Amino acid sequence: MHNATPGAGARGALTPGTLALVLGVLLVQLSFLLSYIGSFHAPDPQGIPIAAVAPQKAADRLDRLPGDPLSVTVVEDEHTARERIRERKAEGAYLMNPRGSRDTLLVASGAGGPQAQALRKVGERVAADQGRQLKVVDVAPSGEQDHESLTAFYLIVGWLVGGYLLASLMGVLAGTRPARPGLAGLRLAGAAGYAVLSGLGGAIIVDPVLHALPGHFVALWWVGALLVFGTAACTLALEAFLGVVGIGVAVLIFVVLGNPSAGGAFQQHLIPSFWRAIGDWIPTGAGTTAVRNIVYFSGNALGTPLLVLGGWALAGVVLLLVGSLRRRERGLTLPL
């Protein structure tokens, strides 16, 4: 009876392809650590856009504070300042009282609790330096069941995970590249059906079940459906071109880069410039912004987030169909 050479099985398993995949996993893991710690380890306000009802000289002082925490636009009155916040053109407002010693700071914790807290600290420091008092008014507060306005971010993350896990499962079961456009269309149809159910489930959880984001059921449902479909379609497209590596690239985009830049735990103007620059253009950030704008800002400023989500979905559809026209990958696959 022939005896196998000791260690032959282990050597056979350590193929160049296996080692490359292990190295890829390590790089994704280290990128995850670098991205999260790099964006969150030292949050600092940078150019937070605010409206100011104040003389021009006083507004200029606000605009030139050490470290440039604020970007100030002078407006005529409190009503205009509130409108700019509601329309998402400003994150807060500083109202100087020319007939007294008590100013007012308007914040919007619905856009993110840490950002509202950062504005409060800056405002209190400014008032103290001028020997004045400060009243803080939250004009768009986060809900009682939505601490620090974090629910939107976690809702989006949950939807994203479902989208790329569905695409990953399709790739594992049926091969990463569909044999022809018709089969690619079947995968997209399956992803669309799943996205509708996933969006519905998420809306049910945050509205009638947990009451975290009540009163916007239908809008949240369809934002979720668009997000899940776009994530799934893009992951399927990446698989069609890159094979199993495409799953890792999807995780890199949607999680490693997308989560820290989304404005969830710390908002856009509290994180370093790289993450601030990319956040609005990744589905994680666009989705988080869309949900917050629906719930806390009367649906204002939804155009850009929805265009971003729609753009990713369209890109995924087109690229998957193109990828299905390329030479079929080797190996046994199942038609899905």
Side-chain angles (χ1 to χ4, degrees):
M1 181 176 179
H2 177 72
N3 294 323
T5 303
R11 288 196 298 271
L14 295 177
T15 64
T18 300
L19 291 174
L21 286 175
V22 171
L23 178 60
V25 170
L26 177 62
L27 290 176
V28 170
Q29 179 190 36
L30 296 179
S31 298
F32 183 96
L33 293 172
L34 176 62
S35 186
Y36 274 69
I37 298 172
S39 60
F40 291 162
H41 76 287
D44 184 47
Q46 304 163 59
I48 301 176
I50 70 165
V53 180
Q56 188 64 52
K57 288 184 178 180
D60 288 343
R61 285 197 298 269
L62 288 174
D63 205 29
R64 297 169 184 167
L65 292 173
D68 295 321
L70 305 177
S71 177
V72 179
T73 299
V74 177
V75 297
E76 294 182 358
D77 51 32
E78 180 178 348
H79 174 75
T80 305
R82 287 176 176 265
E83 283 296 299
R84 287 186 67 84
I85 296 171
R86 189 179 68 85
E87 294 171 0
R88 309 306 294 123
K89 296 176 181 178
E91 302 293 344
Y94 198 100
L95 315 177
M96 291 190 176
N97 181 4
R99 294 183 295 274
S101 61
R102 189 181 192 188
D103 298 331
T104 300
L105 176 68
L106 306 181
V107 299
S109 63
Q115 179 174 260
Q117 294 167 16
L119 279 175
R120 179 171 188 151
K121 289 181 180 179
V122 173
E124 288 175 344
R125 186 169 67 246
V126 169
D129 289 343
Q130 300 297 319
R132 302 176 67 83
Q133 296 179 326
L134 186 69
K135 176 184 177 183
V136 179
V137 178
D138 195 341
V139 297
S142 58
E144 293 182 0
Q145 303 298 318
D146 181 19
H147 179 67
E148 303 283 25
S149 191
L150 283 170
T151 301
F153 172 64
Y154 289 120
L155 176 63
I156 293 303
V157 169
W159 275 330
L160 279 166
V161 168
Y164 67 71
L165 283 182
L166 173 71
S168 301
L169 180 62
M170 287 183 177
V172 169
L173 293 178
T176 54
R177 186 179 304 148
R180 58 184 183 274
L183 293 178
L186 286 177
R187 295 193 188 194
L188 290 170
Y194 176 89
V196 171
L197 293 176
S198 178
L200 175 62
I204 290 173
I205 289 171
V206 298
D207 191 349
V209 174
L210 297 179
H211 306 289
L213 301 175
H216 305 275
F217 183 87
V218 174
L220 294 181
W221 175 5
W222 291 108
V223 166
L226 178 59
L227 178 79
V228 174
F229 177 75
T231 306
C234 286
T235 305
L236 288 169
L238 289 168
E239 291 175 351
F241 281 90
L242 302 175
V244 69
V245 175
I247 298 173
V249 175
V251 171
L252 183 68
I253 295 171
F254 299 132
V255 178
V256 173
L257 294 177
N259 285 7
S261 64
F266 294 103
Q267 286 66 61
Q268 183 182 69
H269 296 283
L270 302 179
I271 58 179
S273 57
F274 171 75
W275 290 271
R276 190 163 64 247
I278 66 174
D280 288 339
W281 310 109
I282 297 178
T284 327
T288 300
T289 298
V291 170
R292 284 175 172 159
N293 287 356
I294 288 170
V295 175
Y296 295 119
F297 300 97
S298 304
N300 286 306
L302 279 177
T304 297
L306 292 182
L307 282 174
V308 170
L309 295 178
W312 280 86
L314 179 61
V317 169
V318 172
L319 290 174
L320 177 59
L321 293 175
V322 171
S324 69
L325 296 173
R326 301 170 68 237
R327 184 176 62 83
R328 181 66 171 163
E329 64 184 354
R330 293 180 180 178
L332 179 63
T333 59
L334 301 173
L336 180 66

